[in-house]
Amino acid sequence: MSEKEGLVHMTATLGTNPELGAAHALKCRECGALYPLDASYACFECFGPLEVAYEARGLTREAIEAGPLSMWRYEALLPVIPGAGHRPGLQPGLTKLVKADNLAAALGAKTVWVKDDSGNPTHSFKDRVVAVALENARRLGFETIACASTGNLANAVAAAAARAGLKSVVFVPSNLEAGKIVTTAVYGGVLVAIGGNYDDVNRLCTEVAASRNWGFVNVNLRPYYAEGSKTVGYEIAEQLGWRLPDAVVSPVASGSLLTKVDKAFREFVDLGLVSDHDYKIYGAQATGCSPVSQAFAAGQDFIKPVKPDTIAKSLAIGNPADGPYALDVVRRTQGALADVTDEEVIEGIKLLSETEGIFGETAGGVVVGTYRKLLREGLIDPAAEVVLLNTGDGLKTLDAVAPTSGPTITVSPSYDDFEAAYKEITS
Ligand SMILES: *Cc1c(COP(=O)(O)O)cnc(C)c1O
Ligand SMILES: [Zn+2]
């Protein structure tokens, strides 16, 4: 369908959609066909993925600053029915942007910030995407919300559903970290553990979504869900004092977050909220699941799916839906993609903890480890002002560091024993 035919298709059916602020349609990312704002995610013409399209309109810094102290301060740029402040959800977002001077010094870099999304209600950035998906699940009349998850999304969906009084059905690979099973199950709802990896779980969910009238946040509600990630980019720009950084290092699972940080920056430039600035977007993966990084290294446009084998389970998507778009963003902004071994992931977690007092999950270790590698390989300028995304909390992935993080000394409750043992480790 041409863009014009798409428009006709849209106007014919759009009347059934309530007004979603600036969002006006779903648009195919490949052929540009337009569709109404309902629960669909693939183009009828070319099977390309759909994305929410907006009509740019006036929005001021003052209006945003006067908004709620959560991601809903950007509701005018999200596909939701206007009316923030009254949203009953968990109020994610507006997490800390921490100036990481000790980390910068340890790495020989100039200015490093950590966007610490472990501060969200269920301790990962997934609360943002779920919040937008849930608003649309309600709008479209779904009574059950569901998801295919690598762990953090499971937590976020189960918690948000509990808060909203909706039913939840969450599908996860059965080999997830215990910390992510417990922190999902505790919210009630149905938790389905699948004997397979994330890509198997995702395939099954696509089948279930086709037969059941459920709102799958990252399947049939994916276009809305994905927009929630833009708020990470908006917050970075606002928290830097309404300007863009030189570089961002983002973890890559499906690749959505990376592409949406870029989208957020471009929207802010287009709206005149920040001045234009040549930023570079970098992507970080674990070597045991690095299909996007491998495609980048090979100079390819397509992603060759892999079978994940890494401790960074939240990033273990072997067939990433947004991989090609993540590649496009990295190449357009002249950034890079790289990957690090599980050992380097653990070093990254520890480096961030020991220098900044921020205990990130394995995905955070992937980002810090990858930043260090990019510096060593000369792929990122040490003088560039960089924002590292810590997308989740280390308490959920204790297994990664538990074997190498124990008591320094163990002594009997005797002063002499303590003195002797302490001398030994400090001499
Ligand atoms: C889901 C997730 C990501 C990346 O998400 P994509 O948008 O799928 O690339 C990064 N970090 C953590 C901790 C996550 O849970
Ligand atoms: Zn299309």
Side-chain angles (χ1 to χ4, degrees):
M1 173 166 22
S2 71
E3 183 136 349
K4 200 152 143 244
E5 288 166 297
L7 267 165
V8 173
H9 173 70
M10 181 189 75
T11 38
T13 43
L14 207 57
T16 57
N17 286 296
E19 176 67 40
L20 281 194
H24 70 92
L26 294 177
K27 183 175 183 182
C28 175
R29 286 163 88 169
E30 293 299 326
C31 74
L34 295 170
Y35 297 93
L37 290 158
D38 57 20
S40 42
Y41 60 102
C43 179
F44 288 116
E45 304 299 318
C46 75
F47 300 107
L50 303 183
E51 178 172 61
V52 180
Y54 296 87
E55 250 145 32
R57 42 177 212 178
L59 179 64
T60 62
R61 293 176 181 178
E62 291 70 27
I64 292 170
E65 286 165 352
L69 298 176
S70 73
M71 61 177 266
W72 294 124
R73 64 207 279 108
Y74 311 104
E75 70 156 15
L77 300 170
L78 296 170
V80 291
I81 298 168
H86 311 294
R87 294 188 200 283
L90 294 166
Q91 309 296 326
L94 220 59
T95 56
K96 288 181 182 135
L97 182 69
V98 181
K99 185 105 184 297
D101 290 338
N102 300 327
L103 177 63
L107 293 174
K110 192 153 167 249
T111 312
V112 178
W113 300 87
V114 175
K115 178 61 172 162
D116 189 11
D117 252 17
S118 67
N120 275 311
T122 70
H123 313 285
S124 87
F125 99 94
K126 290 295 199 297
D127 291 316
R128 300 173 183 272
V129 285
V130 169
V132 178
L134 195 103
E135 293 283 318
N136 285 279
R138 281 178 189 283
R139 173 177 68 85
L140 296 164
F142 292 112
E143 284 162 12
T144 298
I145 58 168
C147 69
S149 174
T150 56
N152 286 315
L153 185 58
N155 294 181
V157 165
R163 178 87 164 187
L166 296 171
K167 293 189 201 110
S168 68
V169 183
V170 163
F171 296 78
V172 296
S174 58
N175 73 348
L176 269 197
E177 301 97 334
K180 285 177 181 162
I181 300 282
V182 176
T183 50
T184 301
V186 75
Y187 297 111
V190 177
L191 173 58
V192 186
I194 313 276
N197 62 28
Y198 174 80
D199 299 286
D200 301 321
V201 173
N202 194 38
R203 211 174 313 115
L204 174 65
C205 285
T206 307
E207 284 174 47
V208 177
S211 66
R212 293 201 171 254
N213 197 29
W214 293 350
F216 272 86
V217 301
N218 55 341
V219 182
N220 52 354
L221 298 174
R222 188 172 177 87
Y224 309 103
Y225 160 98
E227 293 296 295
S229 291
K230 292 192 305 186
T231 59
V232 174
Y234 298 149
E235 287 177 20
I236 290 170
E238 183 181 351
Q239 290 171 320
L240 285 175
W242 297 105
R243 61 186 183 83
L244 301 181
D246 297 327
V248 174
V249 185
S250 170
V252 172
S254 73
S256 179
L257 171 62
L258 183 150
T259 63
K260 296 296 176 173
V261 168
D262 169 66
K263 191 178 185 201
F265 286 177
R266 284 186 293 130
E267 286 177 357
F268 264 24
V269 171
D270 287 346
L271 288 161
L273 293 169
V274 297
S275 39
D276 205 354
H277 178 72
D278 279 337
Y279 58 85
K280 297 179 196 288
I281 306 276
Y282 294 83
Q285 295 205 294
T287 304
C289 182
S290 51
V292 191
S293 167
Q294 286 172 28
F296 180 78
Q300 287 161 343
D301 301 333
F302 60 91
I303 308 290
K304 196 167 146 237
V306 301
K307 210 165 185 239
D309 180 17
T310 169
I311 57 167
K313 298 201 168 111
S314 57
L315 304 182
I317 298 185
N319 188 10
D322 289 285
Y325 302 105
L327 276 175
D328 285 349
V329 167
V330 166
R331 289 188 175 130
R332 174 169 48 75
T333 63
Q334 300 182 341
L337 276 140
D339 53 85
V340 286
T341 64
D342 285 358
E343 209 164 82
E344 292 168 307
V345 173
I346 293 166
E347 288 168 10
I349 295 173
K350 289 192 172 172
L351 183 60
L352 182 60
S353 300
E354 291 172 7
T355 56
E356 299 297 342
I358 297 171
F359 182 21
E361 75 143 79
T362 45
V366 168
V367 166
V368 173
T370 298
Y371 176 50
R372 187 179 69 168
K373 184 171 177 175
L374 291 166
L375 283 166
R376 283 180 179 166
E377 296 187 349
L379 290 168
I380 193 166
D381 179 358
E385 180 179 42
V386 61
V387 179
L388 308 179
L389 305 186
N390 178 45
T391 44
D393 193 318
L395 289 174
K396 291 203 239 184
T397 57
L398 278 181
D399 291 355
V401 285
T404 51
S405 304
T408 312
I409 44 177
T410 303
V411 298
S412 63
S414 137
Y415 179 78
D416 289 343
D417 279 2
F418 164 71
E419 278 296 322
Y422 190 72
K423 250 185 212 127
E424 197 154 302
I425 59 159
T426 49
S427 63

